[in-house]
């Protein structure tokens, strides 16, 4: 088996944590039981690009239990938990000397070149075969396959320009090496039955590609299952934003002024958590609906320009770019903490920061840097501007990820087993499956549901067994 992880000897520790996580992931474990006999993913060759954590290990082993063959990478250079990666490679029945698990190509602290090399490796199936499914988080695997196929069709890879971000140069280098006469990317694109996408940012990319007529295979938008975005993005970040701040800086949050940029699902979770720690939280928004929600939730809503000089902690949650600029950072208080929890690192202008006159970067410890300005004041930047909950801490806890990943497995089964029902397009899972995912998590929390009577069901126009809400309902 080919693989590349940091240290296989961490597998035993990883396996212990996987065992604890399985208990906290009742949705995934129920799905394993439900499909153990029918093996709906037999024949599926799934390339996964999603943070290689303990929770993801339980997801991977669930896909294997349903019959799939897997190759895996992380979707971020800092998010791999090395003991999780090692345990997945060794597998539940293997040993360090004789690994029998799944090929993983991921370690904490990859360079950008290594990151894209890993993605290429996981898309390269042994014996000249090709993957037939992608499970993506942020869309990087999907992007590589689409760009490779596009350039093979055009017969050339365009050169990157000086204005392109550093990462694009790395991608172009990789494609220049691999786009070729063997049409490898075209073959992969043709063999993919579909992709299931985990996050808001990846979903944006998919809808954009579909709108432009560029999408080459169908996609299921897992993010917009209610049991994903209204739970993982909100309650997951409510947990892990504080974890990231504490592990990175251990600064007391109570009494500080914290600015949360964006009040979508992630922003709502972050603002709530920071308030829970006793911070005075200020929100910035561009959308009047979200701004009004923030105001009615009791937060001051204003522009970043107004408060950039008085805040102690900044968290960007927008999925947009250039939210905190170098000019903003130059005006911040001494030792203000600057962090991003959105998917990509361009919410904070790190390139602009590095170009400030006389600026000096002091590395305090991995994923924590102090940037000292010419006038002597400094700011602390977490995880080089990449998602801080996974860069500085361990991301979301198992229970909330069980909701997200149960949706992922169901979506993989849908696209793989019912391919003909999904022409090229971007779909969400039907509501009865969303409700099923929620239902699988109730017992563990001691939740007792009220059952509708037949008469009540008829009165509100639903079936006793659901779905209980119309498609347009917003929760
Ligand atoms: P969302 O679309 O619900 O929220 C983003 C909010 O930012 C919107 O309300 C939008 O109006 C606002 N916004 C956009 N531009 C802005 C600007 N210039 N200033 C202030 N506000 C602005 O998206 P969601 O689901 O909250 O996700 C946000 C990001 O977090 C995405 O990149 C997503 O992929 C990522 N994500 C990260 C997770 C993690 O564990 N780190 C977990 C889930 C999502």
């Amino acid at each position: 088996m080919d693989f590349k992880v940091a240290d296989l000897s961490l597998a035993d520790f990883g396996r212990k944590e996987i065992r604890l996580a399985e208990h906290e992931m009742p949705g995934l474990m129920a799905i394993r039981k439900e499909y153990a006999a029918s093996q709906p993913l037999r024949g599926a060759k799934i390339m996964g690009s999603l943070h290689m954590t303990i929770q993801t290990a339980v997801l991977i082993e669930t896909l294997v239990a349903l019959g799939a063959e897997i190759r895996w990478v992380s979707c971020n250079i800092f998010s791999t938990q090395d003991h999780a990666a090692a345990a997945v490679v060794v597998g539940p029945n293997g040993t360090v000397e004789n690994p029998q698990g799944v090929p993983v190509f991921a370690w904490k602290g990859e360079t950008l070149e290594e990151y894209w090399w890993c993605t290429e490796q996981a898309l390269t199936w042994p014996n000249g075969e090709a993957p037939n499914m992608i499970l993506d988080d942020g869309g990087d695997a999907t992007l590589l396959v689409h760009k490779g196929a596009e350039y093979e069709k055009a017969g050339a890879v365009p050169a990157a320009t000086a204005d392109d971000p550093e990462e694009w140069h790395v991608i172009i280098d990789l494609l220049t090496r691999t786009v070729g006469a063997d049409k490898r990317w075209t073959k992969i694109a043709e063999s993919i039955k579909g992709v299931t996408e985990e996050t808001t940012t990846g979903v944006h990319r998919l809808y954009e590609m579909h709108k432009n007529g560029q999408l080459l295979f169908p996609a299921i938008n897992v993010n917009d299952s209610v049991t994903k975005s209204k739970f993982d993005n909100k309650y997951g970040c409510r947990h892990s934003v504080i974890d990231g701040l504490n592990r990175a800086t251990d600064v007391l949050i109570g009494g500080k002024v914290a600015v949360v940029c964006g009040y979508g699902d992630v922003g709502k979770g972050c603002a709530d958590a920071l308030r829970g720690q006793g911070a005075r939280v200020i929100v910035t928004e561009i959308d009047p609906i979200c701004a009004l929600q923030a105001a009615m939730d009791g937060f001051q809503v204003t522009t970043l320009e107004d408060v950039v000089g008085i805040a102690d902690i900044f968290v960007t949650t927008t999925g947009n770019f250039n939210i905190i600029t170098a000019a903003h950072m130059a005006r911040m208080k001494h030792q203000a903490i600057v962090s991003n929890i959105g998917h990509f690192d361009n919410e904070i202008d790190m390139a602009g920061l590095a170009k400030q006159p006389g600026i000096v970067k002091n590395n305090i410890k991995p994923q924590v840097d102090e940037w000292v300005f010419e006038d002597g004041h400094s700011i602390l930047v977490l995880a080089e501007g990449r998602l801080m909950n996974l860069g500085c801490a361990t991301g979301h806890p198992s229970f909330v990820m069980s909701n997200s990943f149960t949706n992922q497995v169901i979506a993989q089964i849908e696209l793989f087993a019912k391919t003909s029902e999904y022409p090229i397009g971007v779909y969400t899972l039907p509501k009865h499956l969303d409700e099923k995912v929620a239902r699988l998590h109730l017992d563990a929390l001691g939740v007792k549901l009220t059952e509708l009577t037949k008469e009540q069901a008829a009165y509100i126009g639903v079936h006793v067994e659901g779905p209980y809400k119309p498609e347009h309902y917003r929760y």
Side-chain angles (χ1 to χ4, degrees), residues 199-201 233 264-266 285 317 319-320 323 341-343 389 396:
T199 200
T200 317
T201 288
N233 303 25
D265 292 319
V266 171
E285 251 299 343
T317 78
N320 202 343
I323 301 302
I341 199 167
H343 192 81
N389 59 336
H396 296 353

Side-chain angles (χ1 to χ4, degrees), residues 452-461 464:
L452 277 175
T453 64
K454 261 196 206 143
E455 295 73 23
Q456 285 176 325
Y459 186 73
I460 60 172
V464 170

Side-chain angles (χ1 to χ4, degrees), residues 167-368:
E167 188 153 6
W168 187 246
H169 287 256
V170 175
I171 299 170
I172 288 293
D173 278 353
L174 188 162
L175 288 173
T176 307
R177 261 191 305 106
T178 55
V179 156
D182 65 349
K183 298 269 187 217
R184 95 187 247 197
W185 297 107
T186 310
K187 280 183 198 151
I188 294 176
E190 282 169 356
S191 77
I192 299 287
K193 291 171 183 281
V195 56
T196 59
E197 169 56 53
E198 175 81 1
T199 200
T200 317
T201 288
V203 160
H204 277 308
R205 282 181 168 183
L206 287 170
Y207 284 112
E208 200 61 25
M209 278 195 273
H210 186 43
K211 196 175 82 191
N212 298 334
Q214 293 163 337
L215 192 62
L216 297 176
F217 35 78
I220 290 187
N221 162 1
V222 169
N223 182 67
D224 287 293
S225 288
V226 180
T227 47
K228 199 286 182 180
S229 49
K230 299 292 170 188
F231 290 81
D232 165 327
N233 303 25
K234 185 178 175 186
Y235 305 117
C237 288
R238 187 177 70 176
H239 173 102
S240 59
V241 70
I242 301 297
D243 199 11
L245 285 169
N246 283 346
R247 293 202 211 193
T249 68
D250 209 19
V251 80
L252 185 75
I253 297 169
K256 299 281 176 16
V257 175
V259 176
V260 174
C261 300
Y263 200 68
D265 292 319
V266 171
K268 287 179 174 75
C270 292
D272 190 14
L274 289 159
R275 173 157 65 187
Q277 289 293 313
R280 183 156 73 80
V281 180
I282 299 170
V283 167
T284 73
E285 251 299 343
I286 48 114
D287 178 335
I289 296 176
C290 298
L292 189 60
Q293 281 181 314
M296 292 215 183
D297 285 339
F299 298 109
Q300 182 187 349
V301 184
T302 186
T303 62
L304 190 54
E305 284 66 30
D306 271 8
V307 290
V308 74
I310 61 149
D312 305 283
I313 299 168
F314 296 83
V315 185
T316 57
T317 78
T318 68
N320 202 343
F321 83 118
N322 243 355
I323 301 302
I324 297 184
T325 62
H328 287 137
M329 289 185 272
R331 284 178 52 205
M332 285 177 185
K333 273 168 82 171
H334 184 49
Q335 287 189 8
I337 297 167
V338 183
S339 66
N340 162 48
I341 199 167
H343 192 81
F344 284 122
D345 60 343
N346 53 359
E347 299 207 23
I348 300 170
D349 180 14
M350 294 303 298
L353 179 64
K355 285 188 206 137
Q356 290 297 291
I359 193 122
V360 175
K361 177 181 166 188
N362 276 331
N363 180 251
I364 305 292
K365 61 180 182 180
Q367 281 83 58
V368 181

